[in-house]
Structures are given as structure tokens and as C-alpha cells.
């Protein structure tokens, strides 16, 4: 990924919008579009975001689930945790039993 990709990214309207609205990535708008069409996340839901870094989908999911819901973000890479009390960030491989146990603990499953 060279400088051409970087320039295109910075000219992308969703990239600019994400930065302006303080989302971590333009992917937030992809989830918003999916949810608008299919209504996949409701207030009070539990959402597990696998491959969560940098957190665009987790951010949008937190907005949708409200204070009564739970969002768990899992990624191999380090990513900044959200301050919300109903958000749990896990750095690890979601295919391992240890991480799966933590996911189940946080989601109440």
C-alpha cells in the first residue's frame, strides 16, 4: 500500500466524514447502512465484533445497543478500548478456547 492508496483514502468522503464525526474508521458507515436496510441491531442487543480493530463497527454497535446492550470487540491487534461500561475489548484469537470463554463471560452466554 503506497502513497497513492494513502492519497485516495484521504480524499474518500466517508474517510473525511468519519474523521469529522470522530468515528475510528469509515467502516462505521457500512454497518449503519446495513442496519438501516436489515435492522440487525436493536437497543439492548448483545454484539460480538470479531476482527474489531480499529473499532468502527464496535462504535456504531455501541450507539445502537444503548446502555442496556453489550458490545464485545475481539482482535489479534491492539486497539483502543471504548470507555463505555458495556464495552469489553479482548486482544486475542477468537478461535482459542480462552478467548471464547472470555466472550461468553462478557456476553452472559
Amino acid at each position: 500500500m503506497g502513497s497513492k492508496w494513502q492519497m485516495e483514502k484521504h480524499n474518500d468522503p466517508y474517510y473525511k466524514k468519519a474523521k469529522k464525526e470522530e468515528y475510528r474508521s469509515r467502516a462505521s458507515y457500512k454497518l449503519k447502512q446495513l442496519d438501516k436496510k436489515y435492522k440487525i441491531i436493536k437497543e439492548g442487543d448483545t454484539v460480538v465484533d470479531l476482527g474489531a480493530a480499529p473499532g468502527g463497527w464496535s462504535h456504531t454497535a455501541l450507539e445502537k445497543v444503548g446502555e442496556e446492550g453489550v458490545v464485545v470487540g475481539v482482535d489479534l491487534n491492539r486497539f483502543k478500548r471504548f470507555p463505555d461500561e458495556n464495552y469489553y475489548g479482548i486482544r486475542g484469537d477468537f478461535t482459542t478456547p480462552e478467548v471464547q470463554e472470555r466472550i461468553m463471560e462478557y456476553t452472559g452466554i
Side-chain angles (χ1 to χ4, degrees):
M1 309 257 172
S3 60
K4 181 180 178 190
W5 176 80
Q6 289 287 353
M7 288 183 64
E8 288 174 1
K9 179 177 86 167
H10 289 290
N11 290 326
D12 178 83
Y14 285 105
Y15 175 84
K16 290 178 181 180
K17 187 174 181 179
K19 291 297 176 195
K20 182 179 178 185
E21 295 179 8
E22 297 184 0
Y23 285 104
R24 294 190 183 174
S25 75
R26 63 191 295 278
S28 296
Y29 301 104
K30 293 176 184 180
L31 181 55
K32 286 176 179 270
Q33 289 173 346
L34 285 168
D35 189 59
K36 184 177 180 180
K37 184 173 183 177
Y38 299 107
K39 311 222 182 305
I40 54 178
I41 303 174
K42 296 168 192 63
E43 192 167 334
D45 278 354
T46 297
V47 175
V48 179
D49 182 2
L50 302 175
W57 280 38
S58 289
H59 189 169
T60 299
L62 278 166
E63 291 176 344
K64 294 294 293 184
V65 302
E67 292 180 8
E68 300 301 316
V70 173
V71 176
V72 179
V74 184
D75 204 291
L76 291 170
N77 296 313
R78 185 178 310 245
F79 58 102
K80 186 177 176 186
R81 187 189 186 293
F82 289 96
D84 307 59
E85 290 184 15
N86 60 335
Y87 178 78
Y88 302 94
I90 302 171
R91 184 176 178 199
D93 181 347
F94 66 81
T95 66
T96 65
E98 298 82 20
V99 171
Q100 292 170 6
E101 285 177 27
R102 288 180 63 198
I103 293 168
M104 290 188 288
E105 175 187 328
Y106 294 143
T107 60
I109 296 174

